[in-house]
Protein backbone atom coordinates (compact mmCIF):
# COMPACT_ATOMS: atom_id res chain seq x y z
CA UNK A 1 0.00 0.00 0.00
CA UNK A 2 1.05 3.60 -0.48
CA UNK A 3 0.52 6.78 1.47
CA UNK A 4 -2.41 8.71 0.06
CA UNK A 5 -2.88 12.44 -0.08
CA UNK A 6 -5.47 14.55 1.70
CA UNK A 7 -4.64 17.99 0.42
CA UNK A 8 -1.05 18.50 1.65
CA UNK A 9 -0.59 15.96 4.42
CA UNK A 10 -0.38 12.26 3.50
CA UNK A 11 -2.20 9.61 5.49
CA UNK A 12 -0.85 6.37 6.85
CA UNK A 13 -2.65 3.13 7.76
CA UNK A 14 -2.93 2.47 11.48
CA UNK A 15 -0.23 0.28 12.99
CA UNK A 16 -2.60 -2.53 13.93
CA UNK A 17 -2.60 -6.18 12.93
CA UNK A 18 -6.33 -6.32 12.20
CA UNK A 19 -9.09 -3.78 11.68
CA UNK A 20 -10.35 -2.15 14.88
CA UNK A 21 -13.99 -0.96 14.59
CA UNK A 22 -13.35 1.69 17.26
CA UNK A 23 -10.73 3.45 15.12
CA UNK A 24 -10.59 4.84 11.56
CA UNK A 25 -8.56 3.03 8.91
CA UNK A 26 -5.84 5.68 8.65
CA UNK A 27 -4.54 8.93 10.17
CA UNK A 28 -2.70 11.96 8.77
CA UNK A 29 0.99 11.36 9.50
CA UNK A 30 1.04 14.52 11.61
CA UNK A 31 -1.60 15.51 14.14
CA UNK A 32 -2.27 18.92 15.66
CA UNK A 33 -1.05 19.02 19.26
CA UNK A 34 -3.28 21.54 21.00
CA UNK A 35 -1.32 22.33 24.16
CA UNK A 36 -0.17 25.49 22.33
CA UNK A 37 -3.68 26.95 22.56
CA UNK A 38 -3.01 28.16 26.07
CA UNK A 39 -0.66 30.41 28.02
CA UNK A 40 1.57 27.42 28.93
CA UNK A 41 4.45 28.54 26.74
CA UNK A 42 4.31 32.28 27.43
CA UNK A 43 6.83 34.13 29.54
CA UNK A 44 5.61 35.94 32.67
CA UNK A 45 6.04 39.21 30.78
CA UNK A 46 3.92 37.98 27.84
CA UNK A 47 1.20 36.74 30.19
CA UNK A 48 1.04 40.04 32.09
CA UNK A 49 0.95 41.97 28.83
CA UNK A 50 -2.05 39.86 27.76
CA UNK A 51 -3.96 40.78 30.92
CA UNK A 52 -2.61 38.33 33.47
CA UNK A 53 -3.62 34.79 34.45
CA UNK A 54 -7.21 35.71 35.35
CA UNK A 55 -7.91 36.63 31.71
CA UNK A 56 -6.78 33.22 30.48
CA UNK A 57 -9.06 30.86 32.32
CA UNK A 58 -11.60 28.71 30.44
CA UNK A 59 -14.57 30.63 31.84
CA UNK A 60 -13.15 34.14 31.43
CA UNK A 61 -11.19 33.97 28.16
CA UNK A 62 -12.33 36.48 25.51
CA UNK A 63 -13.29 34.76 22.27
CA UNK A 64 -12.66 37.99 20.34
CA UNK A 65 -9.12 38.48 21.69
CA UNK A 66 -6.61 38.65 18.84
CA UNK A 67 -4.60 35.72 20.23
CA UNK A 68 -7.69 33.52 20.52
CA UNK A 69 -8.73 34.43 16.97
CA UNK A 70 -5.21 33.55 15.78
CA UNK A 71 -5.51 30.13 17.40
CA UNK A 72 -8.92 29.54 15.81
CA UNK A 73 -7.55 30.48 12.39
CA UNK A 74 -4.62 28.10 12.95
CA UNK A 75 -7.02 25.23 13.65
CA UNK A 76 -9.12 26.07 10.59
CA UNK A 77 -6.03 26.29 8.39
CA UNK A 78 -4.64 22.97 9.66
CA UNK A 79 -7.94 21.18 8.96
CA UNK A 80 -9.15 22.91 5.79
CA UNK A 81 -5.90 23.73 4.00
CA UNK A 82 -3.53 21.00 5.16
CA UNK A 83 -5.73 17.99 5.84
CA UNK A 84 -4.50 17.68 9.43
CA UNK A 85 -7.65 16.01 10.67
CA UNK A 86 -6.40 14.57 13.97
CA UNK A 87 -6.40 16.95 16.94
CA UNK A 88 -5.04 16.05 20.36
CA UNK A 89 -5.92 18.03 23.48
CA UNK A 90 -6.47 17.61 27.25
CA UNK A 91 -8.16 19.41 30.16
CA UNK A 92 -4.63 19.95 31.47
CA UNK A 93 -3.68 22.14 28.49
CA UNK A 94 -4.25 25.68 29.69
CA UNK A 95 -6.34 24.05 32.44
CA UNK A 96 -9.23 24.01 30.03
CA UNK A 97 -8.49 26.83 27.58
CA UNK A 98 -7.31 24.49 24.82
CA UNK A 99 -10.62 22.61 24.81
CA UNK A 100 -12.59 25.87 24.87
CA UNK A 101 -10.66 27.28 21.89
CA UNK A 102 -11.22 24.04 19.99
CA UNK A 103 -14.94 24.29 20.75
CA UNK A 104 -15.11 27.75 19.22
CA UNK A 105 -13.14 26.58 16.19
CA UNK A 106 -15.36 23.51 15.73
CA UNK A 107 -18.51 25.59 16.03
CA UNK A 108 -17.45 27.64 13.01
CA UNK A 109 -16.14 24.64 11.07
CA UNK A 110 -19.29 22.56 11.53
CA UNK A 111 -21.59 25.48 10.74
CA UNK A 112 -19.78 25.88 7.43
CA UNK A 113 -19.64 22.14 6.73
CA UNK A 114 -21.95 19.89 8.82
CA UNK A 115 -20.19 16.79 7.50
CA UNK A 116 -16.79 17.94 8.78
CA UNK A 117 -17.19 16.19 12.16
CA UNK A 118 -17.05 12.77 10.48
CA UNK A 119 -13.69 13.66 8.92
CA UNK A 120 -12.06 14.64 12.20
CA UNK A 121 -10.43 12.56 14.91
CA UNK A 122 -10.72 14.58 18.12
CA UNK A 123 -8.87 13.15 21.11
CA UNK A 124 -8.74 14.38 24.69
CA UNK A 125 -7.60 12.97 28.04
CA UNK A 126 -8.56 12.37 31.67
CA UNK A 127 -6.56 12.33 34.89
CA UNK A 128 -4.55 15.57 34.86
CA UNK A 129 -6.22 18.91 35.45
CA UNK A 130 -5.19 21.89 37.60
CA UNK A 131 -1.99 23.84 38.28
CA UNK A 132 -2.41 23.43 42.05
CA UNK A 133 -0.46 20.24 42.94
CA UNK A 134 -3.27 19.18 45.31
CA UNK A 135 -5.76 19.24 42.42
CA UNK A 136 -3.47 18.37 39.54
CA UNK A 137 -4.11 14.61 39.36
CA UNK A 138 -7.40 12.88 40.00
CA UNK A 139 -7.96 9.36 38.70
CA UNK A 140 -11.21 8.73 40.57
CA UNK A 141 -14.29 7.29 38.86
CA UNK A 142 -16.64 10.25 39.40
CA UNK A 143 -14.07 12.89 38.43
CA UNK A 144 -13.28 10.98 35.23
CA UNK A 145 -16.95 10.83 34.19
CA UNK A 146 -17.43 14.52 35.06
CA UNK A 147 -14.28 15.46 33.13
CA UNK A 148 -15.49 13.73 29.96
CA UNK A 149 -18.87 15.44 30.18
CA UNK A 150 -17.15 18.81 30.70
CA UNK A 151 -14.80 18.23 27.75
CA UNK A 152 -17.79 17.49 25.52
CA UNK A 153 -19.46 20.75 26.61
CA UNK A 154 -16.29 22.78 26.11
CA UNK A 155 -15.62 21.38 22.66
CA UNK A 156 -19.31 21.41 21.68
CA UNK A 157 -19.19 17.74 20.71
CA UNK A 158 -21.50 14.75 21.05
CA UNK A 159 -18.63 12.28 21.33
CA UNK A 160 -14.84 12.09 21.64
CA UNK A 161 -12.99 9.87 19.20
CA UNK A 162 -10.23 8.60 21.49
CA UNK A 163 -10.44 9.18 25.25
CA UNK A 164 -6.94 8.86 26.71
CA UNK A 165 -5.59 8.19 30.19
CA UNK A 166 -3.22 11.11 30.88
CA UNK A 167 0.16 10.48 32.55
CA UNK A 168 -1.00 7.51 34.65
CA UNK A 169 2.47 7.08 36.13
CA UNK A 170 1.40 9.86 38.51
CA UNK A 171 -1.46 7.82 39.97
CA UNK A 172 -1.07 7.21 43.73
CA UNK A 173 -1.72 3.50 43.12
CA UNK A 174 -2.45 1.00 40.37
CA UNK A 175 -5.76 0.08 41.99
CA UNK A 176 -6.94 3.71 41.78
CA UNK A 177 -6.47 3.49 38.02
CA UNK A 178 -8.17 0.13 37.64
CA UNK A 179 -11.16 0.82 39.90
CA UNK A 180 -11.38 4.52 39.11
CA UNK A 181 -10.33 6.16 35.86
CA UNK A 182 -10.09 3.06 33.66
CA UNK A 183 -13.44 1.67 34.81
CA UNK A 184 -14.99 5.10 34.17
CA UNK A 185 -13.43 5.24 30.71
CA UNK A 186 -14.96 1.86 29.88
CA UNK A 187 -18.33 3.22 31.01
CA UNK A 188 -17.89 6.29 28.79
CA UNK A 189 -17.28 4.06 25.79
CA UNK A 190 -20.37 1.99 26.63
CA UNK A 191 -22.45 5.18 26.86
CA UNK A 192 -21.18 6.46 23.50
CA UNK A 193 -19.35 9.44 25.01
CA UNK A 194 -16.24 8.22 23.20
CA UNK A 195 -15.49 5.70 20.46
CA UNK A 196 -12.12 4.36 21.59
CA UNK A 197 -9.79 4.34 24.60
CA UNK A 198 -6.11 5.29 24.68
CA UNK A 199 -3.24 5.51 27.12
CA UNK A 200 -0.47 8.11 27.26
CA UNK A 201 2.60 8.76 29.39
CA UNK A 202 6.39 8.86 29.37
CA UNK A 203 7.69 5.63 31.00
CA UNK A 204 7.15 2.78 28.54
CA UNK A 205 7.51 0.30 31.39
CA UNK A 206 4.55 1.82 33.25
CA UNK A 207 2.32 1.92 30.17
CA UNK A 208 3.13 -1.75 29.59
CA UNK A 209 2.44 -2.56 33.25
CA UNK A 210 -0.96 -0.85 33.17
CA UNK A 211 -1.94 -2.52 29.89
CA UNK A 212 -1.08 -5.96 31.29
CA UNK A 213 -2.88 -5.28 34.59
CA UNK A 214 -5.95 -3.98 32.78
CA UNK A 215 -6.11 -7.04 30.53
CA UNK A 216 -5.80 -9.30 33.58
CA UNK A 217 -8.50 -7.50 35.58
CA UNK A 218 -11.11 -7.16 32.84
CA UNK A 219 -10.30 -10.38 30.97
CA UNK A 220 -9.86 -8.64 27.63
CA UNK A 221 -7.93 -5.89 25.89
CA UNK A 222 -9.41 -2.55 26.95
CA UNK A 223 -7.24 0.03 25.21
CA UNK A 224 -7.33 0.67 21.46
CA UNK A 225 -4.39 3.04 21.17
CA UNK A 226 -1.14 4.10 22.86
CA UNK A 227 0.47 7.54 22.62
CA UNK A 228 4.07 7.84 23.76
CA UNK A 229 6.36 10.86 23.74
CA UNK A 230 10.11 11.44 23.43
CA UNK A 231 10.81 7.78 22.64
CA UNK A 232 11.23 7.96 18.88
CA UNK A 233 13.61 10.70 17.82
CA UNK A 234 17.19 11.44 16.83
CA UNK A 235 18.74 10.14 20.07
CA UNK A 236 16.10 7.80 21.56
CA UNK A 237 14.40 5.03 19.61
CA UNK A 238 13.61 2.84 22.61
CA UNK A 239 10.01 2.54 21.42
CA UNK A 240 11.31 -0.16 19.06
CA UNK A 241 14.48 -1.28 20.83
CA UNK A 242 13.95 -1.38 24.62
CA UNK A 243 12.87 -4.88 25.79
CA UNK A 244 10.15 -4.74 28.42
CA UNK A 245 9.20 -7.37 31.00
CA UNK A 246 7.84 -9.74 28.36
CA UNK A 247 11.02 -9.37 26.31
CA UNK A 248 9.33 -7.33 23.57
CA UNK A 249 9.79 -3.62 22.79
CA UNK A 250 6.68 -1.53 23.43
CA UNK A 251 5.93 -1.22 19.69
CA UNK A 252 5.85 -5.00 19.35
CA UNK A 253 3.57 -5.34 22.37
CA UNK A 254 1.03 -2.86 21.00
CA UNK A 255 1.00 -4.52 17.59
CA UNK A 256 0.54 -8.01 19.04
CA UNK A 257 -2.42 -6.65 21.02
CA UNK A 258 -3.93 -4.86 17.99
CA UNK A 259 -3.37 -1.39 19.48
CA UNK A 260 -2.56 1.57 17.28
CA UNK A 261 0.74 3.27 18.12
CA UNK A 262 1.29 7.03 18.00
CA UNK A 263 4.15 9.28 19.05
CA UNK A 264 4.46 12.88 20.21
CA UNK A 265 7.11 15.51 20.95
CA UNK A 266 9.60 14.72 18.15
CA UNK A 267 11.57 17.81 19.23
CA UNK A 268 11.67 16.36 22.74
CA UNK A 269 10.05 19.36 24.39
CA UNK A 270 12.67 21.77 23.08
CA UNK A 271 15.84 19.65 23.25
CA UNK A 272 16.16 19.20 19.48
CA UNK A 273 16.11 22.87 18.51
CA UNK A 274 18.70 25.60 18.11
CA UNK A 275 17.50 27.20 21.37
CA UNK A 276 17.89 26.20 24.99
CA UNK A 277 15.19 23.87 26.37
CA UNK A 278 12.80 25.22 29.03
CA UNK A 279 14.19 25.36 32.56
CA UNK A 280 11.69 22.73 33.77
CA UNK A 281 12.90 20.11 31.30
CA UNK A 282 13.52 16.78 33.12
CA UNK A 283 16.45 15.68 30.93
CA UNK A 284 19.86 15.20 32.54
CA UNK A 285 22.53 17.85 32.02
CA UNK A 286 24.53 15.38 29.96
CA UNK A 287 21.60 14.84 27.56
CA UNK A 288 21.00 18.59 27.29
CA UNK A 289 24.68 19.08 26.50
CA UNK A 290 24.62 16.27 23.91
CA UNK A 291 21.62 17.87 22.17
CA UNK A 292 23.40 21.22 22.18
CA UNK A 293 26.42 19.60 20.49
CA UNK A 294 24.15 17.95 17.93
CA UNK A 295 22.50 21.28 17.18
CA UNK A 296 25.93 22.86 16.64
CA UNK A 297 26.96 20.07 14.24
CA UNK A 298 23.76 20.69 12.27
CA UNK A 299 24.19 24.46 12.31
CA UNK A 300 27.76 24.23 10.96
CA UNK A 301 26.44 22.21 8.02
CA UNK A 302 23.52 24.61 7.48
CA UNK A 303 21.04 21.90 8.55
CA UNK A 304 18.08 22.74 10.79
CA UNK A 305 18.04 20.17 13.58
CA UNK A 306 14.30 20.60 14.18
CA UNK A 307 13.43 19.88 10.55
CA UNK A 308 15.75 16.86 10.61
CA UNK A 309 14.12 15.67 13.85
CA UNK A 310 10.62 15.88 12.37
CA UNK A 311 11.67 13.96 9.26
CA UNK A 312 13.22 11.25 11.41
CA UNK A 313 10.04 11.06 13.50
CA UNK A 314 7.84 10.67 10.42
CA UNK A 315 10.08 8.08 8.78
CA UNK A 316 8.86 5.01 10.64
CA UNK A 317 5.81 3.47 8.94
CA UNK A 318 4.82 1.70 12.17
CA UNK A 319 4.00 5.05 13.78
CA UNK A 320 0.70 6.02 12.22
CA UNK A 321 0.69 9.64 13.40
CA UNK A 322 3.12 11.96 15.15
CA UNK A 323 1.64 14.76 17.26
CA UNK A 324 3.23 18.18 16.77
CA UNK A 325 2.43 21.27 18.83
CA UNK A 326 1.73 24.08 16.34
CA UNK A 327 0.59 27.45 17.63
CA UNK A 328 0.29 29.55 14.46
CA UNK A 329 -0.21 29.40 10.71
CA UNK A 330 3.48 29.43 9.89
CA UNK A 331 4.26 26.46 12.11
CA UNK A 332 1.42 24.51 10.49
CA UNK A 333 2.70 25.42 7.01
CA UNK A 334 6.25 24.28 7.80
CA UNK A 335 5.06 21.00 9.32
CA UNK A 336 2.71 20.32 6.39
CA UNK A 337 5.48 20.98 3.88
CA UNK A 338 7.75 18.55 5.74
CA UNK A 339 5.02 15.91 5.83
CA UNK A 340 4.27 16.46 2.13
CA UNK A 341 7.65 14.96 1.28
CA UNK A 342 6.30 11.56 2.34
CA UNK A 343 3.55 11.53 -0.30
CA UNK A 344 3.53 8.39 -2.47
CA UNK A 345 6.43 6.79 -0.61
CA UNK A 346 5.80 3.12 -0.02
CA UNK A 347 4.63 2.75 3.58
CA UNK A 348 6.23 -0.68 3.86
CA UNK A 349 9.73 0.73 3.43
CA UNK A 350 12.05 0.38 6.40
CA UNK A 351 12.50 3.76 8.04
CA UNK A 352 16.17 4.01 6.97
CA UNK A 353 15.10 3.60 3.33
CA UNK A 354 12.47 6.29 3.81
CA UNK A 355 15.07 8.60 5.30
CA UNK A 356 17.41 8.13 2.35
CA UNK A 357 14.54 9.09 0.05
CA UNK A 358 13.63 12.18 2.08
CA UNK A 359 16.88 13.68 3.35
CA UNK A 360 19.25 15.75 1.24
CA UNK A 361 22.83 14.52 0.86
CA UNK A 362 24.03 16.99 3.52
CA UNK A 363 21.22 16.04 5.91
CA UNK A 364 21.95 12.34 5.53
CA UNK A 365 25.65 12.91 6.23
CA UNK A 366 24.72 14.82 9.39
CA UNK A 367 22.26 12.08 10.36
CA UNK A 368 25.11 9.56 10.05
CA UNK A 369 27.39 11.73 12.21
CA UNK A 370 24.75 12.11 14.91
CA UNK A 371 24.30 8.31 14.98
CA UNK A 372 28.01 7.56 15.39
CA UNK A 373 28.01 5.36 18.50
CA UNK A 374 31.71 5.99 19.15
CA UNK A 375 32.35 9.66 18.35
CA UNK A 376 28.89 11.16 17.86
CA UNK A 377 27.38 13.73 20.26
CA UNK A 378 25.13 11.11 21.89
CA UNK A 379 27.79 8.41 22.33
CA UNK A 380 28.23 9.23 26.02
CA UNK A 381 24.55 9.25 26.98
CA UNK A 382 23.94 6.05 25.01
CA UNK A 383 26.75 4.39 26.94
CA UNK A 384 25.62 5.47 30.42
CA UNK A 385 21.87 5.27 29.74
CA UNK A 386 21.20 8.98 30.25
CA UNK A 387 19.44 9.35 26.90
CA UNK A 388 16.18 8.88 28.85
CA UNK A 389 15.02 10.41 32.11
CA UNK A 390 13.35 8.53 34.93
CA UNK A 391 9.63 9.21 34.56
CA UNK A 392 8.79 7.21 37.68
CA UNK A 393 11.22 9.30 39.72
CA UNK A 394 9.53 12.43 38.35
CA UNK A 395 6.18 11.15 39.62
CA UNK A 396 7.54 10.27 43.06
CA UNK A 397 9.23 13.66 43.36
CA UNK A 398 5.89 15.30 42.59
CA UNK A 399 4.10 13.43 45.40
CA UNK A 400 6.85 14.30 47.88
CA UNK A 401 5.50 17.87 47.74
CA UNK A 402 2.28 16.56 49.28
CA UNK A 403 3.36 14.76 52.46
CA UNK A 404 -0.19 14.06 53.66
CA UNK A 405 -1.11 12.06 50.54
CA UNK A 406 -0.70 8.29 50.78
CA UNK A 407 0.89 6.74 47.71
CA UNK A 408 2.02 3.24 46.87
CA UNK A 409 5.37 2.24 45.38
CA UNK A 410 3.76 0.52 42.40
CA UNK A 411 5.36 1.76 39.17
CA UNK A 412 7.90 -0.28 37.25
CA UNK A 413 10.63 2.13 36.20
CA UNK A 414 13.56 2.19 33.83
Amino acid sequence: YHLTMVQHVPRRPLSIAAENPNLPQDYPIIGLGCSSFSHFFWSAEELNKAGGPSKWKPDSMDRCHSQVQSWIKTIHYAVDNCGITLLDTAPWYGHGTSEVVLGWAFEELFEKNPNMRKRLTINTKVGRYEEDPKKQFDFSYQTTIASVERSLRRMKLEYIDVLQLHDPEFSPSLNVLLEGAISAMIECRKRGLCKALGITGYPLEVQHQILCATKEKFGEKIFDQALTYCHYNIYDRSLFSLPLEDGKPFADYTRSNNMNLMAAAPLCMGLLTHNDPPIWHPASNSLKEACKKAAKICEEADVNISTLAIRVALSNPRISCTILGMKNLNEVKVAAQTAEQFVNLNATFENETLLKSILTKDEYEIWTKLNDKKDGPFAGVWQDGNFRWDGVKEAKTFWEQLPHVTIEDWQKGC
Side-chain angles (χ1 to χ4, degrees), residues 118-371:
K118 296 176 184 177
R119 287 181 51 203
L120 300 183
T121 300
I122 303 168
N123 303 342
T124 193
K125 307 180 184 75
V126 291
R128 191 169 194 173
Y129 303 106
E130 303 296 333
E131 183 178 9
D132 182 352
K134 295 176 183 177
K135 300 177 181 178
Q136 191 167 141
F137 292 97
D138 190 336
F139 296 98
S140 65
Y141 187 97
Q142 292 301 332
T143 297
T144 301
I145 297 288
S147 175
V148 173
E149 292 173 342
R150 182 180 57 194
S151 292
L152 289 170
R153 289 194 302 272
R154 284 174 171 170
M155 293 192 285
K156 307 180 189 302
L157 299 174
E158 293 182 359
Y159 65 90
I160 293 157
D161 287 277
V162 184
L163 179 64
Q164 302 165 103
L165 186 61
H166 199 176
D167 293 340
E169 65 267 27
F170 284 87
S171 176
S173 75
L174 180 57
N175 192 58
V176 165
L177 291 174
L178 295 172
E179 299 292 341
I182 295 173
S183 293
M185 292 170 74
I186 294 170
E187 177 63 20
C188 288
R189 186 167 58 184
K190 285 179 182 176
R191 287 167 51 184
L193 302 182
C194 65
K195 287 186 173 182
L197 301 182
I199 186 170
T200 74
Y202 179 74
L204 298 176
E205 299 89 344
V206 177
Q207 279 207 41
H208 179 258
Q209 178 186 5
I210 294 168
L211 292 171
C212 292
T214 304
K215 197 172 182 181
E216 181 179 350
K217 176 176 174 59
F218 296 101
E220 60 179 340
K221 176 182 73 74
I222 297 300
F223 288 97
D224 303 286
Q225 183 166 284
L227 172 63
T228 69
Y229 67 94
C230 297
H231 286 304
Y232 193 78
N233 53 62
I234 286 176
Y235 66 81
D236 181 356
R237 291 181 286 285
S238 52
L239 192 56
F240 293 89
S241 62
L242 176 72
L244 299 174
E245 193 174 38
D246 61 357
K248 299 177 183 176
F250 190 76
D252 288 355
Y253 176 85
T254 55
R255 184 169 180 81
S256 66
N257 283 274
N258 208 38
M259 293 175 61
N260 183 49
L261 180 63
M262 292 172 52
L267 304 185
C268 302
M269 304 185 296
L271 285 178
L272 297 174
T273 71
H274 292 282
N275 302 312
D276 291 331
I279 57 173
W280 49 260
H281 203 291
S284 65
N285 289 332
S286 56
L287 177 54
K288 290 176 183 176
E289 190 59 35
C291 289
K292 194 176 290 188
K293 288 179 182 176
K296 187 175 181 182
I297 291 170
C298 289
E299 194 171 356
E300 288 172 350
D302 200 26
V303 169
N304 185 293
I305 193 171
S306 299
T307 302
L308 178 62
I310 293 172
R311 288 174 180 160
V312 169
L314 299 182
S315 69
N316 196 308
R318 290 179 63 188
I319 297 175
S320 59
C321 178
T322 297
I323 304 295
L324 290 171
M326 297 173 272
K327 65 179 179 294
N328 56 44
L329 295 177
N330 186 60
E331 290 186 359
V332 173
K333 282 181 184 178
V334 171
Q337 287 168 355
T338 302
E340 194 175 7
Q341 295 176 298
F342 289 82
V343 174
N344 294 325
L345 289 177
N346 193 316
T348 60
F349 280 177
E350 291 298 322
N351 54 305
E352 194 67 22
T353 307
L354 274 174
L355 276 177
K356 283 183 178 178
S357 304
I358 294 300
L359 301 182
T360 66
K361 181 181 177 182
D362 289 344
E363 286 174 334
Y364 196 77
E365 285 180 3
I366 292 299
W367 167 244
T368 304
K369 280 186 180 180
L370 298 185
N371 275 280

Side-chain angles (χ1 to χ4, degrees), residues 93-111:
Y93 300 158
H95 313 304
T97 63
S98 174
E99 290 185 330
V100 170
V101 171
L102 283 169
W104 289 334
F106 295 151
E107 190 174 45
E108 296 175 18
L109 278 173
F110 301 161
E111 183 178 353

